[in-house]
Amino acid sequence: MPFDPPVQYAFAPEEKECADARMTAADEDPTPPPFVTCTDWRLHVLFKEGQGRQDIGILFGVSCGAHRSSGDECIGDIGLSDAASMVRVNESHYRTVPLQVSRDGHRVAYFSKKHLKFVAWDLPTAQTKAISPRLDPQSLDDLSGLEISPDGGFFAVAFHGARPRLLITEFATGKTTTLNGYCSTYGMSRKASWIAVSRECSEEDGTYTEDEGLVTILKRNGEVVSEWKGSEYASVLSPNGRTTVEIHSTPTEDTDEYVITRDAMTGRPIKKFKLRLLSEPSDAIGDCWLNDEEYVVKAEPPESGDGSFGYYRLNVRSGTSHRIRDFKLSLDGDVSMGTIFARD
């Protein structure tokens, strides 16, 4: 039977080999194509021994080898050689390139080294669809975000710079809608019924203009249904499109951090509470919604510290939180979430 293990998470570690390759490429020829310098993204999956498919472009499932989890369950980190993790946008500047995993772990969106465009890949069917046109280094420098709707049916690619725009693609039809004048997203609801976006950025450096903190709620066709003045903190839209969440740091001696939830259509505050993830000081970084009530937060050591205190699922109604135990603390670099949070 078809074997389609969901991706728990994806990661692109910061490795010395990749850094050395970037320096070598820059030294040998400052403007050589291709401009993709690193393809370090890896998919972390669970699968059952002997049930692997080898016709969807990745090899796994024949044998656990040294990667046995328990019983006939195996774990594996599968490298995506086509998925760019770093690109050179000019002679002296490099930037990381995002990858996103759908909530159910069955779809992945990434920048393709082969096609030089963002693509959406459905693992169970091995189907790939373009979600952006072919991009040059300048377009990648203007890239400001990549997202997948909570149900995995829609993809968003955002750009700032001289031509702020948002590309919304429906996977089922492959149709892309371009919404001009928006330079980043604060999230999509299921079926992309509601999309929270930011207004135009400046043409030169992508920094926010007087519209900083303005949250606009759109329908998928670009119709504006609501707009409200928030704050400089990102207001991330919940999967049901009803709530946004923000994490605020206060400039006090005890460096308290607060969570504020708002009505997505009015911006009216719903709840505010102090964030308590650990008994020791930590810096909280919002990551993504797990479901309509739980938001994922990463805890890092204070400014001078290194490493990670892990990821926590925070209930935005009760304020309670607990650590997600099956996520590694030792992963450095970029991380993208999939079904890891659905396994508790």
Side-chain angles (χ1 to χ4, degrees), residues 194-212:
W194 311 112
I195 307 170
V197 299
S198 172
R199 285 285 188 182
E200 295 185 26
C201 296
S202 69
E203 295 186 2
E204 297 300 324
D205 58 8
T207 57
Y208 290 109
T209 61
E210 65 274 7
D211 289 329
E212 182 175 3

Side-chain angles (χ1 to χ4, degrees), residues 6-317:
V7 176
Q8 284 192 296
Y9 56 87
F11 64 99
E14 297 174 352
E15 295 183 341
K16 185 177 184 297
E17 292 81 4
C18 189
D20 289 345
R22 294 198 300 272
M23 292 300 294
T24 300
D27 291 341
E28 291 177 352
D29 185 346
T31 58
F35 51 85
V36 174
T37 60
C38 300
T39 53
D40 285 343
W41 281 109
R42 304 172 194 175
L43 306 180
H44 184 84
V45 299
L46 285 177
F47 58 92
K48 290 188 179 297
E49 189 169 24
Q51 293 188 2
R53 283 181 60 185
Q54 297 181 19
D55 60 340
I56 61 174
I58 50 180
L59 302 178
F60 56 85
V62 176
S63 173
C64 283
H67 303 289
R68 189 177 303 278
S69 174
S70 62
D72 61 351
E73 278 199 343
C74 315
I75 57 175
D77 293 332
I78 303 160
L80 291 183
S81 60
D82 187 44
S85 57
M86 182 77 68
V87 296
R88 182 177 54 252
V89 295
N90 57 45
E91 293 185 6
S92 60
H93 180 57
Y94 296 82
R95 65 157 295 168
T96 58
V97 183
L99 176 150
Q100 291 291 341
V101 181
S102 64
R103 196 67 52 85
D104 64 5
H106 290 307
R107 287 180 176 169
V108 178
Y110 64 90
F111 183 71
S112 166
K113 179 179 71 174
K114 177 181 179 181
H115 301 289
L116 297 182
K117 60 181 67 176
F118 279 95
V119 299
W121 179 27
D122 184 77
L123 274 69
T125 64
Q127 190 176 19
T128 302
K129 293 187 179 181
I131 58 174
S132 84
R134 188 180 176 95
L135 300 176
D136 58 17
Q138 179 59 57
S139 297
L140 283 170
D141 197 25
D142 290 341
L143 176 72
S144 58
L146 172 67
E147 275 200 61
I148 305 178
S149 64
D151 59 326
F154 291 83
F155 298 79
V157 186
F159 301 88
H160 56 63
R163 188 191 163 202
R165 63 198 184 280
L166 180 64
L167 309 180
I168 306 294
T169 301
E170 182 180 14
F171 190 87
T173 63
K175 179 183 177 182
T176 297
T177 301
T178 300
L179 306 179
N180 292 311
Y182 303 104
C183 59
S184 63
T185 65
Y186 295 138
M188 293 188 287
S189 69
R190 298 179 184 92
K191 300 183 180 180
S193 299
W194 311 112
I195 307 170
V197 299
S198 172
R199 285 285 188 182
E200 295 185 26
C201 296
S202 69
E203 295 186 2
E204 297 300 324
D205 58 8
T207 57
Y208 290 109
T209 61
E210 65 274 7
D211 289 329
E212 182 175 3
L214 189 67
V215 177
T216 303
I217 307 297
L218 306 174
K219 289 185 179 180
R220 196 167 63 232
N221 63 3
E223 179 185 346
V224 176
V225 296
S226 178
E227 198 162 58
W228 44 272
K229 184 70 173 179
S231 67
E232 71 273 21
Y233 298 94
S235 301
V236 186
L237 187 68
S238 63
N240 59 13
R242 298 177 182 175
T243 310
T244 67
V245 65
E246 306 164 9
I247 296 178
H248 288 247
S249 298
T250 57
T252 60
E253 292 183 1
D254 57 0
T255 61
D256 290 338
E257 292 179 305
Y258 292 86
V259 174
I260 297 179
T261 57
R262 300 179 185 272
D263 182 288
M265 292 300 164
T266 66
R268 177 181 59 83
I270 299 173
K271 191 176 184 67
K272 177 179 179 180
F273 56 87
K274 186 181 292 187
L275 184 60
R276 295 185 177 90
L277 298 179
L278 297 163
S279 57
E280 57 189 301
S282 65
D283 291 334
I285 301 174
D287 194 279
C288 62
W289 283 90
L290 169 59
N291 50 51
D292 294 334
E293 296 184 3
E294 292 181 299
Y295 187 65
V296 177
V297 178
K298 181 182 180 182
E300 294 186 344
E303 294 181 2
S304 59
D306 295 319
S308 169
F309 291 141
Y311 287 80
Y312 294 76
R313 53 195 306 167
L314 169 70
N315 189 301
V316 298
R317 291 190 177 182

